[in-house]
Amino acid sequence: MVLSMERWVGKVAVVTGASAGIGAAIAKQLVEHGLLVVGVARRKERIDELAKTLEGKKGKLFAFKADISIGEEIKAAFAWTTDNVGPVAILVNNAGIHYRTTIIDGDVEAWRKTIDVNLMATCIASKEAIHIMRKNNIDGHVININSILGHYIFKLPNLDIYPATKYGITALTETLRLEINSLKLKIKVTSVSPGVVNTEIFENMDRKQFDLVKNCMLNPEDIADGVVYALSTPPHVQVHEITIKPVGEDF
Ligand SMILES: NC(=O)c1ccc[n+]([C@@H]2O[C@H](COP(=O)([O-])OP(=O)(O)OC[C@H]3O[C@@H](n4cnc5c(N)ncnc54)[C@H](OP(=O)(O)O)[C@@H]3O)[C@@H](O)[C@H]2O)c1
């Protein structure tokens, strides 16, 4: 199998949650591979800052401010992308949140927000992107940043509703793939499931929890490498699932 990013040069990618962590690392690598990347997040200024550091690279990073827990803002992001950059060829559903409470004592509004950002936004963005790909005859690629917690549950404190949203991503990825197949489209769907990655998502973790994982973490770039691998495969090859864990991770 010959791996190459050449077919994506000059094409448009939308990356949600590009203002930090894994999303920022993915946006950076896609720009370095020559893509026109629209980074979507609430902290647009952070994406603007990242874009400045990428000036002179093969591709370009654009920033769009949106709260993806609001469906209309997701739609606005795709409309702006189509009008100002071009039709989307790659969607990376990356943005995610985790409040780290419990099911028994957690806050219902926090759960709702988690479902909206982690799961509903992925559904809405995928719908928007695939409509645009179909309209423009683009054999595109949807990448869902999942988690090992989307495949099995292990003993970590305060998991709350987060694994339920990631199990939803596992189901959504496969359901979407079947729909795409039944429509005979050539759009690929890949789930990328990281173990622990050193990002700001752990900022609200208490010390005891953090000590459980701090010696065994991936870097955001490791996940971006996995995304680029899935995108680099030839048109007839589809990577369904990539699990990426740090060596020595116990769960
Ligand atoms: N870190 C890990 O150990 C790990 C492991 C497995 C899976 N993951 C998954 O990887 C993905 C990225 O996580 P990360 O670790 O890189 O987290 P992070 O550093 O906290 O970054 C989260 C990103 O999501 C964006 N986001 C959150 N709420 C949003 C909203 N309402 N609207 C728009 N954007 C929003 C944030 O942007 P703004 O705040 O600027 O809006 C930020 O760019 C998530 O799906 C997460 O579940 C992470």
Side-chain angles (χ1 to χ4, degrees), residues 17 19 22 42-43 67-68 94 146 162 166 195 197 199 202:
S19 62
I22 296 169
R42 293 164 302 179
R43 291 171 294 175
D67 179 343
I68 64 158
N94 162 78
N146 195 339
Y162 179 85
K166 293 299 186 179
V197 188
T199 71
F202 292 108

Side-chain angles (χ1 to χ4, degrees), residues 16-24 40-47 66-70 93-98 100 113 117-118 145-149 162 166 192-202 217 220 223:
T16 66
S19 62
I22 296 169
V40 179
R42 293 164 302 179
R43 291 171 294 175
K44 175 180 178 291
E45 64 287 354
R46 280 202 178 198
I47 305 173
D67 179 343
I68 64 158
S69 67
I70 300 165
N93 287 305
N94 162 78
I97 54 173
H98 188 181
R100 292 180 204 292
K113 190 85 173 171
V117 173
N118 294 10
I145 304 301
N146 195 339
S147 166
I148 52 171
L149 283 164
Y162 179 85
K166 293 299 186 179
V192 177
S193 301
V196 176
V197 188
N198 191 4
T199 71
E200 292 166 23
I201 209 167
F202 292 108
M217 286 180 146
I223 311 308

Side-chain angles (χ1 to χ4, degrees), residues 30-156:
L30 295 186
V31 168
E32 286 168 350
H33 281 288
L35 279 111
L36 306 175
V37 178
V38 178
V40 179
R42 293 164 302 179
R43 291 171 294 175
K44 175 180 178 291
E45 64 287 354
R46 280 202 178 198
I47 305 173
D48 286 327
E49 280 303 309
L50 178 61
K52 272 189 214 150
T53 69
L54 296 173
E55 275 167 17
K57 300 282 183 198
K58 207 169 165 189
K60 190 171 163 61
L61 177 60
F62 302 81
F64 188 85
K65 184 181 173 72
D67 179 343
I68 64 158
S69 67
I70 300 165
E72 288 310 313
E73 296 201 13
I74 301 173
K75 288 184 188 170
F78 283 97
W80 185 88
T81 300
T82 305
D83 292 347
N84 294 279
V85 187
V88 62
I90 294 171
L91 166 63
V92 184
N93 287 305
N94 162 78
I97 54 173
H98 188 181
Y99 284 103
R100 292 180 204 292
T101 61
T102 62
I103 304 286
I104 292 172
D105 292 317
D107 172 54
V108 174
E109 282 317 306
W111 297 343
R112 231 185 280 285
K113 190 85 173 171
T114 309
I115 293 170
D116 284 344
V117 173
N118 294 10
L119 189 55
M120 283 303 291
T122 298
C123 298
I124 297 166
S126 301
K127 177 180 175 178
E128 291 296 309
I130 289 172
H131 274 263
I132 294 164
M133 290 172 192
R134 281 185 86 182
K135 195 172 162 199
N136 293 279
N137 288 319
I138 295 171
D139 294 344
H141 202 145
V142 176
I143 308 259
N144 293 331
I145 304 301
N146 195 339
S147 166
I148 52 171
L149 283 164
H151 303 277
Y152 57 92
I153 307 292
F154 46 87
K155 199 167 178 346
L156 264 190

Side-chain angles (χ1 to χ4, degrees), residues 187-216:
I187 298 167
K188 301 183 191 179
V189 194
T190 301
S191 156
V192 177
S193 301
V196 176
V197 188
N198 191 4
T199 71
E200 292 166 23
I201 209 167
F202 292 108
E203 273 181 358
N204 63 349
M205 206 181 210
D206 69 34
R207 193 69 233 167
K208 212 166 117 208
Q209 275 180 293
F210 189 72
D211 284 347
L212 287 172
V213 296
K214 72 166 194 261
N215 293 324
C216 205

